[in-house]
Amino acid sequence: MDMQKLYLLVPLAPLCGAVIAGLFCRVIPRWLAHTATILGVALAFVLSVIIFKDVIAGNTFNGTVYTWMTSGDYRFEVGFLIDTLTATMMLVVTFVSLMVHIYTMGYMRDDPGYNRFFSYISLFTFSMLMLVMANNFMQLFFGWEAVGLVSYLLIGFWYTRPTAIFANMKAFLVNRVGDFGFILGIGLVLAHFGSLDYAQVFKHAPDFASTTINILGDAQWSLMTVTCICLFIGAMGKSAQVPLHVWLPDSMEGPTPISALIHAATMVTAGIFMVSRMSPLFELSTTALSFVIVIGAITALFMGFLGIIQNDIKRVVAYSTLSQLGYMTVALGASAYSVAIFHLMTHAFFKALLFLAAGSVIIGMHHDQDIRNMGGLRKYMPITWITSLVGSLALIGTPFLSGFYSKDSIIEAAQVAHHHGLPGASFAYYAVLAGVFITAFYSFRMYFLVFHGEERFGKSDDTHHHEHEGDHDDEETSHDHHHGLAPGQKPHETPWVVTLPLVLLAIPSLLIGFIAIEPMLYGDYFKGVIFVNAEAHPAMEHLAEEFHGAIAMGVHSLTTLPFILAFSGVALSWFFYMKRPDIPAAIQRRFSGINTLLENKYYFDKINEFVFAGGARVLGGVFWRGGDVGFIDGLVVNGSAKFVGWLSSISRLFQTGYVYHYAFMMIIGLLALMTYGINRV
């Protein structure tokens, strides 16, 4: 078969499944809905593997599929760019999505919106594939907004719950703030480059390296700096960077499968992918790179602190996602784009594993999500336990596991950027170092409280029962209002449709970093795809000089500071929560002010609600009262009606029905015309 047809089939296969499950959700049986969508995503995954092998063999593609519109010299097209970066993203998206689809059969089996949910997640996969396969900014923006739209539907899947409505509206508004910057960046590209095609823009980008534009007053701004920062603001929304991160923890209001899909492999990775694709532009602005690395460092460090105080099992993993996205962004700012994509890939597997394992625990606990109500689950849920351990070890950067190779490379890239004087890199380096300890501490706090120690479930005097982080009943479905195990009731391992994806995700969480680090970071894997000005930004060159193989890297790490910090975080967590649980309680009481600050998430929510949401409401009120009621209804509609009525009342005086009156008016009119004509002459 022609390869171009295979490219087209990859996004269309999940779309067909989504159409079948969505349009006919009320009439088709459940087995048909999940079969259609799973087959569609499975086909997309198989085709992605074939395309990946073809790309590795040296075959790439960049071409137009459909011309949507032509306006003057501008062309708006649908096209595909298939190279190693695209192929990698296609594999990650389709594989994780396939695991989530299989998992959903078990997790959502009792939900009345079963067919609708399968339609949504399949449509989500289609949207993400259109985004990563795009060869132009227009299609990129289409996929960007389509992913945002479906995430809105998924976060608010249980649409009768006020918390879900609030969460999806927050995600919608915050992402619109980011998308406003994104569309401004695309607009600047179109205005100055005259094209939306990646190849054309990247080819001519060096010609605009010294171009300045006037924004406010007489000040001149670098075109590339302004464009890149605007584009990155879009990435801040999608990839949840401070201060546009506030929507991501609340996305937990959606079911666990979509939490895994949003956090691990799709929506939040869109920003990281986009900046990596735009590397020819970002390399022309050191200022933009400094902005990126500082934002990433703030996110990596301060979102990690919030993970320490979370008691909802999914929210611990959610804040972990925020922190790891910060790590990826730091790599982007250090011009280590390949490292960012590498961590995106490894993180997709172990983070999807952790989310789905959290969902398995929730099922076993009868929808109780409070880790304070768990303990000792290891012997009741052995598969969930061992896969959770693998995911947690990968997350903290344990040597030889996948997360270690990508995370350690980010820390080294930040160190190089720090030594070479990139503004903001010093802060970034120390932030990601501190983040290693913090990540290890809160990750294993969750692990120990859930799987080890005293069994705290099934007790009638359970003090934390029905208490949810942020007052959210995250997994409460419309037909199932019970939370937690009854007194004397024991947890149970979940069905094979839940545990099978856990096992299949655990394998790449263990191995993929070891296998992929050398070709992806130090080989020709991204040659001609990612562009780095090695003279100005030498991070990757220094990493290549220090790299002597995956095994040597793992052995060497056993004596390095990141390993010591990770080990210390795990040890301290074990001591605090297994041996001396009174110490964390005492610290919480002693530093109640800091605890209050963390519980209120640095008051970002309140600031956003007051400034953005409040401002939007005020602006909406002005437009409603002044524009709609005052101008449109008052002046245009009612005003025109009153004017017509007045004019009619005047004209009625002349409508007498007598012929001589009309003759008299004709004579008057004729005299007026004659007078006007004589005066003109």
Side-chain angles (χ1 to χ4, degrees):
M1 184 182 288
D2 186 9
M3 290 302 297
Q4 293 187 34
K5 293 180 180 177
L6 292 187
Y7 303 150
L8 195 58
L9 274 175
V10 172
L12 289 183
L15 179 62
C16 290
V19 169
I20 294 170
L23 293 183
F24 307 102
C25 65
R26 296 183 182 276
V27 296
I28 62 174
R30 291 187 169 203
W31 69 265
L32 182 56
H34 70 235
T35 300
T37 52
I38 290 173
L39 284 178
V41 176
L43 177 60
F45 172 65
V46 172
L47 294 176
S48 296
V49 172
I50 295 171
I51 292 168
F52 176 78
K53 290 182 177 179
D54 187 60
V55 171
I56 294 298
N59 300 311
T60 59
F61 176 79
N62 183 16
T64 300
V65 176
Y66 174 72
T67 300
W68 180 61
M69 184 176 68
T70 301
S71 178
D73 296 330
Y74 302 127
R75 296 176 64 86
F76 302 90
E77 301 170 333
V78 176
F80 294 145
L81 172 58
I82 308 297
D83 54 20
T84 49
L85 179 58
T86 304
T88 302
M89 292 297 298
M90 289 166 66
L91 281 177
V92 171
V93 170
T94 53
F95 179 74
V96 175
S97 179
L98 179 59
M99 296 300 101
V100 168
H101 275 71
I102 296 170
Y103 178 93
T104 298
M105 289 193 293
Y107 194 89
M108 299 292 289
R109 67 175 184 265
D110 297 323
D111 196 281
Y114 187 89
N115 291 1
R116 178 166 57 93
F117 188 79
F118 270 100
S119 174
Y120 287 172
I121 58 176
S122 196
L123 187 61
F124 199 93
T125 308
F126 159 76
S127 303
M128 191 65 192
L129 287 169
M130 289 296 290
L131 188 157
V132 300
M133 295 173 71
N135 75 339
N136 62 83
F137 284 92
M138 191 204 77
Q139 187 176 327
L140 174 71
F141 190 73
F142 164 77
W144 199 267
E145 295 303 308
V147 168
L149 169 64
V150 187
S151 73
Y152 171 85
L153 298 173
L154 283 163
I155 295 169
F157 180 76
W158 291 312
Y159 53 82
T160 58
R161 290 164 42 201
T163 50
I165 297 170
F166 179 82
N168 70 357
M169 188 57 66
K170 179 190 280 188
F172 180 82
L173 291 175
V174 172
N175 273 279
R176 296 296 73 74
V177 175
D179 292 352
F180 179 69
F182 191 52
I183 196 73
L184 286 178
I186 294 175
L188 285 170
V189 169
L190 182 61
H192 290 85
F193 289 83
S195 175
L196 292 175
D197 183 75
Y198 290 164
Q200 291 297 317
V201 173
F202 298 161
K203 179 182 177 181
H204 296 290
D207 301 337
F208 293 88
S210 57
T211 302
T212 59
I213 57 174
N214 183 275
I215 300 177
L216 294 172
D218 296 327
Q220 296 294 311
W221 296 71
S222 166
L223 170 66
M224 299 314 303
T225 297
V226 175
T227 301
C228 290
I229 289 177
C230 284
L231 291 173
F232 181 68
I233 289 172
M236 288 169 64
K238 281 290 182 290
S239 292
Q241 299 295 293
V242 173
L244 302 181
H245 68 284
V246 294
W247 69 271
L248 194 60
D250 283 328
S251 69
M252 298 297 98
E253 285 296 324
T256 294
I258 197 52
S259 301
L261 203 55
I262 286 177
H263 285 249
T266 52
M267 186 171 174
V268 295
T269 64
I272 308 300
F273 163 80
M274 184 272 293
V275 175
S276 299
R277 178 63 80 190
M278 303 299 146
S279 59
L281 304 182
F282 279 84
E283 285 299 291
L284 297 172
S285 174
T286 300
T287 305
L289 290 174
S290 293
F291 181 77
V292 170
I293 202 169
V294 169
I295 293 294
I298 293 171
T299 306
L301 180 62
F302 290 97
M303 294 303 105
F305 285 133
L306 294 182
I308 296 173
I309 66 158
Q310 303 300 316
N311 294 312
D312 183 305
I313 187 171
K314 286 206 306 178
R315 288 179 183 268
V316 177
V317 187
Y319 280 102
S320 164
T321 301
L322 282 168
S323 182
Q324 296 307 304
L325 286 167
Y327 273 83
M328 299 176 206
T329 304
V330 166
L332 296 174
S335 292
Y337 306 98
S338 56
V339 178
I341 295 297
F342 184 42
H343 193 52
L344 181 157
M345 180 185 69
T346 60
H347 175 266
F349 297 119
F350 62 71
K351 187 52 57 71
L353 170 61
L354 286 171
F355 266 114
L356 298 187
S360 181
V361 169
I362 292 168
I363 295 172
M365 290 294 299
H366 285 213
H367 294 275
D368 188 356
Q369 298 184 191
D370 197 322
I371 59 178
R372 296 168 294 182
N373 298 338
M374 301 177 188
L377 294 188
R378 178 182 59 169
K379 66 179 180 181
Y380 300 104
M381 307 179 72
I383 300 175
T384 303
W385 161 64
I386 194 66
T387 52
S388 293
L389 179 59
V390 169
S392 299
L393 290 171
L395 171 62
I396 69 171
T398 304
F400 302 104
L401 272 65
S402 292
F404 156 73
Y405 290 103
S406 55
K407 198 171 182 178
D408 210 62
S409 298
I410 292 173
I411 296 170
E412 290 182 32
Q415 186 179 23
V416 175
H418 156 60
H419 288 315
H420 281 80
L422 178 70
S426 298
F427 167 68
Y429 172 58
Y430 293 112
V432 294
L433 267 182
V436 173
F437 173 83
I438 296 165
T439 302
F441 181 80
Y442 70 68
S443 298
F444 273 82
R445 169 183 177 264
M446 179 185 71
Y447 170 77
F448 289 131
L449 288 177
V450 172
F451 294 105
H452 294 271
E454 177 192 358
E455 296 179 1
R456 298 178 297 276
F457 50 80
K459 298 181 179 179
S460 57
D461 61 342
D462 199 344
T463 56
H464 301 300
H465 202 60
H466 297 287
E467 189 176 322
H468 296 272
E469 197 67 37
D471 198 29
H472 294 286
D473 291 337
D474 286 351
E475 293 298 330
E476 185 175 84
T477 62
S478 58
H479 64 286
D480 184 7
H481 294 274
H482 70 276
H483 285 271
L485 299 166
Q489 196 174 7
K490 301 296 183 184
H492 56 85
E493 187 62 273
T494 45
W496 72 267
V497 290
V498 174
T499 55
L500 177 63
L502 298 182
V503 174
L504 293 177
L505 285 166
I507 296 170
S509 299
L510 286 169
L511 303 175
I512 195 70
F514 181 89
I515 297 169
I517 182 170
E518 189 164 354
M520 286 189 72
L521 301 193
Y522 309 114
D524 294 332
Y525 189 80
F526 287 126
K527 186 178 181 180
V529 177
I530 289 174
F531 299 88
V532 178
N533 182 355
E535 185 177 345
H537 311 122
M540 291 307 300
E541 277 197 348
H542 282 261
L543 263 63
E545 291 172 4
E546 297 295 325
F547 182 75
H548 303 290
I551 296 176
M553 182 177 176
V555 173
H556 173 71
S557 72
L558 298 174
T559 59
T560 60
L561 184 57
F563 175 77
I564 296 170
L565 290 170
F567 181 81
S568 302
V570 174
L572 187 65
S573 179
W574 173 82
F575 180 72
F576 274 8
Y577 297 99
M578 292 292 97
K579 295 299 181 182
R580 293 292 303 278
D582 58 301
I583 295 179
I587 293 173
Q588 186 176 349
R589 289 191 301 270
R590 180 70 175 81
F591 298 97
S592 58
I594 296 175
N595 185 71
T596 302
L597 179 67
L598 295 177
E599 285 184 340
N600 286 278
K601 309 165 192 171
Y602 309 113
Y603 296 96
F604 272 112
D605 278 339
K606 295 187 183 299
I607 294 170
N608 281 312
E609 287 171 22
F610 179 77
V611 177
F612 293 109
R617 285 195 295 269
V618 170
L619 191 63
V622 170
F623 281 122
W624 170 51
R625 292 187 178 89
D628 192 23
V629 177
F631 180 75
I632 297 174
D633 286 345
L635 182 61
V636 178
V637 178
N638 296 331
S640 60
K642 290 178 180 178
F643 176 75
V644 170
W646 173 81
L647 189 63
S648 299
S649 65
I650 299 298
S651 62
R652 277 198 300 270
L653 298 175
F654 303 98
Q655 300 292 327
T656 61
Y658 295 107
V659 175
Y660 62 87
H661 283 169
Y662 298 139
F664 180 72
M665 294 302 301
M666 289 175 64
I667 293 169
I668 297 293
L670 187 59
L671 287 172
L673 288 172
M674 289 174 65
T675 303
Y676 175 75
I678 291 169
N679 289 332
R680 286 289 301 269
V681 175

